[in-house]
Amino acid sequence: MKSWAEVYIPPIYSAITFPQLNLYNTATQSKEKLPKKNLYQMYVCGITPYDATHLGHAATYITFDLINRYLRATGAQVDFVQNVTDIDDPLFERAKRDNVDWSQLATSQIELFRGDMVDLHIIPPKDYIGVVEAIPMIIESISKIEKSAPTYVVDSDLYFQVHSDSDFGKRSHLSDAQMFEIFAQRGGDPSRIGKRDPLDALLWLNQRDGEPGWDSPFGKGRPGWHIECSAIAMHYLDDGLDKQYSIDIQGGGSDLIFPHHEMSAAQSKAISGKEFARSYVHSGMIGLDGEKMSKSKGNLLFVSKMVNEGTNPMAIRLALIASHYASDRMWTSLLLEDAQELLERMTIALSREEVAPTKPVIEKIVRALSDNLDTPTALEAISLWCDETLKGSKGGEAGELSRAIDTLLGIAI
Ligand code: ZN
């Protein structure tokens, strides 16, 4: 599937030293320094295209864009892959509700999503893969699981026995009872009669009336959600060189920790015999004015709508990184106003001929980002530099700081 347009990344002041990126790993519940490498593999779960980008999506993709930007600035290559869940229950339900063809709905929302990513300055993935186009590799992955791990059929639907992975549940740190509850809330089927274990994951769903189906050795139907990401990530990213992990970073919002990432990881392990990701990284949820933002509440704010109404996408990006990526946080009009105000001060300060010293502030930004993407500290350093500059302090080079802010934070002034 076509990715989106490249984002220009200016060269950065070369004398800077980049500490190893220290990231919080959900699986180990601790901050871990990524080892120094020339090539990192990062997989970030994409949207189900019944809607385009709401602010929660934007926050997630900005988080992994910051990781991508930091690692690239150190001189490394980042192979970044993202999927589009263009076959899924919510997509079929929305298409049915609106009486539109599901594939046309998906195509229109994916196009909108690409535009939002460009507006938000997200570096595009090297491979942007829809599930429809990945069916052959998903079938191949399921066939491999059938050979290496226990699977079984319930009314023509194929399941994977998740507890065949002895680490199942350890990445999300949940008990079986907690997993049961969350699984039911997030589209799982723990109460289905005939399952050997309530948590077992659906690999292949037999074709239902009015839904698309593809021929496979397991019957005509479609893949389950979790196997899609295992198959796509391993196909496009696992070069087989690392004997311990398939990829370096598995990313997404914290609502994907369970069941999605736990199940994808268990299935990948059944295929490869190794742990799926070195690091499982999750961004927090974005609420609106004190409430959880969700499709059921109908209070989602969409990036494209805000931009069409005149909001500068750079102000949206700045507002979303004003708090730490891992924290659940609220979107308010005040947050956006503060971001717009900072953006304006940055624009004025950076356009001055004489500016406050810039090397120390660039070093502060780099240090803050290296510590689990501490964007609030980075922005505070920029804000103080603006104050110093506007008070008349001299000795810096505006272009140097402007390029660093663009390269590292994705904020183009
Ligand atoms: Zn995924």
Side-chain angles (χ1 to χ4, degrees):
M1 186 172 281
K2 180 167 70 82
S3 194
W4 54 91
E6 277 297 337
V7 176
Y8 172 69
I9 305 174
I12 193 166
Y13 153 53
S14 58
I16 199 92
T17 328
F18 287 90
Q20 279 168 270
L21 184 57
N22 207 6
L23 277 180
Y24 185 83
N25 182 354
T26 303
T28 58
Q29 295 185 309
S30 60
K31 282 201 260 184
E32 291 168 359
K33 282 184 181 159
L34 278 184
K36 279 202 172 142
K37 294 176 77 182
N38 295 324
L39 170 67
Y40 295 92
Q41 287 114 348
M42 179 166 77
Y43 183 83
V44 182
C45 292
I47 58 162
T48 300
Y50 58 86
D51 268 337
T53 326
H54 58 66
L55 287 177
H57 293 134
T60 297
Y61 300 127
I62 289 169
T63 297
F64 294 94
D65 190 57
L66 291 172
I67 294 174
N68 198 351
R69 284 169 180 273
Y70 188 90
L71 293 173
R72 283 170 180 236
T74 68
Q77 182 186 328
V78 181
D79 279 353
F80 162 41
V81 173
Q82 189 168 316
N83 72 307
V84 186
T85 310
D86 56 359
I87 311 171
D88 203 7
D89 295 336
L91 173 66
F92 300 141
E93 283 159 18
R94 178 64 63 91
K96 204 171 169 186
R97 187 198 80 178
D98 296 349
N99 202 20
V100 291
D101 177 72
W102 65 270
S103 62
Q104 279 174 3
L105 173 64
T107 303
S108 67
Q109 296 308 301
I110 293 165
E111 197 45 41
L112 204 53
F113 178 76
R114 289 190 185 101
D116 293 338
M117 293 298 102
V118 172
D119 283 344
L120 291 168
H121 287 196
I122 311 279
I123 298 170
K126 84 175 174 73
D127 297 293
Y128 187 48
I129 307 296
V131 174
V132 172
E133 62 189 332
I135 295 282
M137 66 190 77
I138 295 168
I139 290 174
E140 197 188 318
S141 292
I142 296 175
S143 299
K144 283 183 186 165
I145 291 179
E146 280 194 311
K147 289 196 190 91
S148 63
T151 60
Y152 60 92
V153 170
V154 178
D155 299 333
S156 307
D157 298 337
L158 184 66
Y159 282 87
F160 165 65
Q161 261 183 271
V162 292
H163 280 102
S164 61
D165 171 17
S166 55
D167 289 328
F168 188 77
K170 289 184 185 164
R171 303 165 188 95
S172 46
H173 303 276
L174 297 168
S175 66
D176 274 17
Q178 288 169 318
M179 287 195 276
F180 184 97
E181 198 184 328
I182 300 172
F183 192 37
Q185 288 162 5
R186 294 186 180 155
D189 57 357
S191 304
R192 184 172 185 182
I193 309 246
K195 285 180 78 172
R196 291 183 193 164
D197 181 316
L199 298 174
D200 286 345
L202 185 66
L203 288 170
W204 191 263
L205 182 77
N206 193 39
Q207 188 175 21
R208 305 292 198 260
D209 275 351
E211 289 187 3
W214 287 263
D215 289 323
S216 83
F218 340 106
K220 191 168 186 177
R222 61 181 170 100
W225 176 27
H226 317 301
I227 190 62
E228 298 166 1
C229 285
S230 308
I232 295 170
M234 293 176 77
H235 182 89
Y236 287 95
L237 289 172
D238 187 0
D239 54 18
L241 295 177
D242 193 311
K243 301 298 172 209
Q244 212 177 344
Y245 304 104
S246 289
I247 63 171
D248 292 298
I249 297 168
Q250 155 82 98
S254 59
D255 55 344
L256 296 186
I257 295 173
F258 189 85
H260 188 50
H261 287 172
E262 187 74 61
M263 293 191 174
S264 293
Q267 290 167 348
S268 302
K269 202 170 152 197
I271 296 167
S272 69
K274 55 189 178 182
E275 183 58 34
F276 179 50
R278 180 188 303 279
S279 195
Y280 297 85
V281 181
H282 296 99
S283 60
M285 298 286 105
I286 305 295
L288 177 66
D289 297 326
E291 281 208 315
K292 194 171 178 265
M293 216 187 275
S294 71
K295 109 180 129 150
S296 55
K297 285 204 166 82
N299 62 349
L300 296 171
L301 284 183
F302 291 96
V303 171
S304 52
K305 191 161 180 280
M306 293 171 73
V307 172
N308 283 340
E309 287 167 0
T311 305
N312 181 344
M314 290 295 94
I316 298 176
R317 185 163 174 130
L318 206 49
L320 287 171
I321 62 172
S323 298
H324 193 258
Y325 80 88
S327 60
D328 289 339
R329 49 216 199 267
M330 283 296 152
W331 180 270
T332 61
S333 50
L334 187 64
L335 180 72
L336 181 62
E337 279 165 30
D338 285 349
Q340 279 163 333
E341 193 263 338
L342 176 59
L343 197 59
E344 226 161 89
R345 271 196 307 132
M346 284 161 72
T347 309
I348 294 167
L350 285 166
S351 63
R352 287 227 171 160
E353 264 183 41
E354 298 279 6
V355 297
T358 38
K359 284 188 177 61
V361 67
I362 295 173
E363 279 164 4
K364 278 183 196 162
I365 296 169
V366 169
R367 264 203 310 279
L369 289 173
S370 74
D371 183 15
N372 199 26
L373 308 177
D374 183 359
T375 49
T377 298
L379 295 187
E380 196 188 321
I382 295 170
S383 179
L384 286 173
W385 176 87
C386 289
D387 291 346
E388 291 302 313
T389 295
L390 297 174
K391 274 190 226 154
S393 173
K394 292 176 184 170
E397 210 270 282
E400 188 175 76
L401 178 58
S402 174
R403 287 193 295 278
I405 291 171
D406 191 347
T407 304
L408 293 166
L409 295 172
I411 306 285
I413 303 288

